[in-house]
Amino acid sequence: MRYTFKTYIAHEQEHYLYSEQTLGEAVTFSETVPFPESLMSLLYMDLDPIDAIIQKLNDEFWKLAATKEEQHHQNALALLDDLASRHIYFQQFRLDMNCRLTHAKLFNSYTEDVLPRAYLYHLPEKLRQMQAQILELIQHVLDTDQESEETVPQKMVSYYKAAGDRAFRFCAQPVGFELIDDEVFA
């Protein structure tokens, strides 16, 4: 199983294109939301239901690793589908975990590097931390309604000096450019 996940912004819309390939046939999906709706909705999302799904998923991964029973594989797939239906940002997670589950089953390898149970255990806490960090960044740096003599770059310097380890850390993302549907270069 292989997958692709692409995102681009055009015409004030966020576009998500993703596909899954199993046994030679790829199925492609697309979703579009107003920019920056996906980020804002994640920042204010109630994570309690997400925590519960992730905990159940982690339980299924443990059971699957211990028993290798098909029912736990199917339960994990259903939980991943449920999680992805809650927010577009969980779609890539679902695709990655589906690939991992397929790999585990195909190679009878249910190790931590294939089914990352420790990562899942800490994921709810990381999601909450990410929400808090990004909201703090918006409040202290990106809120343009606040009266300030400082420019955004100056605010960033001040914020990162004051926040230290609490500050949101930007991660490099692979970027490519291509023609989309013969209409948009993104």
Side-chain angles (χ1 to χ4, degrees):
M1 179 174 186
R2 299 174 69 205
Y3 74 91
T4 61
F5 187 89
K6 296 179 181 183
T7 180
Y8 66 95
I9 298 171
H11 311 296
E12 299 178 8
Q13 300 282 314
E14 300 173 40
H15 301 269
Y16 298 89
L17 306 171
Y18 51 96
S19 67
E20 295 178 87
Q21 183 175 356
T22 54
L23 302 174
E25 185 175 326
V27 180
T28 302
F29 304 91
S30 67
E31 291 185 43
T32 302
V33 295
F35 177 76
E37 176 59 31
S38 64
L39 176 61
M40 299 311 288
S41 64
L42 183 68
L43 291 180
Y44 296 104
M45 176 183 271
D46 177 11
L47 291 177
D48 289 342
I50 302 302
D51 289 358
I53 295 168
I54 292 170
Q55 179 58 51
K56 288 176 187 175
L57 179 62
N58 199 16
D59 292 346
E60 291 300 327
F61 275 18
W62 276 103
K63 291 173 187 174
L64 184 59
T67 67
K68 299 174 180 61
E69 292 178 5
E70 179 63 21
Q71 184 58 46
H72 299 300
H73 182 96
Q74 294 304 316
N75 291 348
L77 291 175
L79 289 164
L80 287 166
D81 287 345
D82 186 15
L83 191 60
S85 73
R86 310 269 176 153
H87 197 280
I88 187 63
Y89 285 2
F90 294 120
Q91 189 59 252
Q92 186 173 10
F93 178 78
R94 181 191 71 81
L95 292 165
D96 181 53
M97 290 298 136
N98 277 356
C99 280
R100 290 170 175 273
L101 284 164
T102 300
H103 177 89
K105 186 176 180 179
L106 186 62
F107 295 103
N108 197 28
S109 175
Y110 297 87
T111 59
E112 179 67 25
D113 63 322
V114 177
L115 299 179
R117 297 171 298 277
Y119 171 79
L120 286 179
Y121 178 79
H122 294 288
L123 185 56
E125 176 187 336
K126 288 181 186 230
L127 289 171
R128 289 182 192 288
Q129 180 183 23
M130 181 194 69
Q131 273 184 329
Q133 288 173 328
I134 295 173
L135 285 169
E136 188 176 302
L137 178 68
I138 290 170
Q139 178 185 7
H140 294 288
V141 177
L142 303 176
D143 183 357
T144 57
D145 292 335
Q146 270 185 7
E147 292 290 324
S148 176
E149 298 290 320
E150 290 183 303
T151 65
V152 170
Q154 290 170 327
K155 288 181 189 179
M156 288 290 278
V157 169
S158 299
Y159 167 71
Y160 272 87
K161 282 182 178 178
D165 290 341
R166 285 187 350 268
F168 178 77
R169 300 291 176 211
F170 291 91
C171 299
Q173 296 290 315
V175 176
F177 297 92
E178 63 185 79
L179 188 59
I180 309 290
D181 296 329
D182 292 329
E183 295 177 13
V184 176
F185 186 74

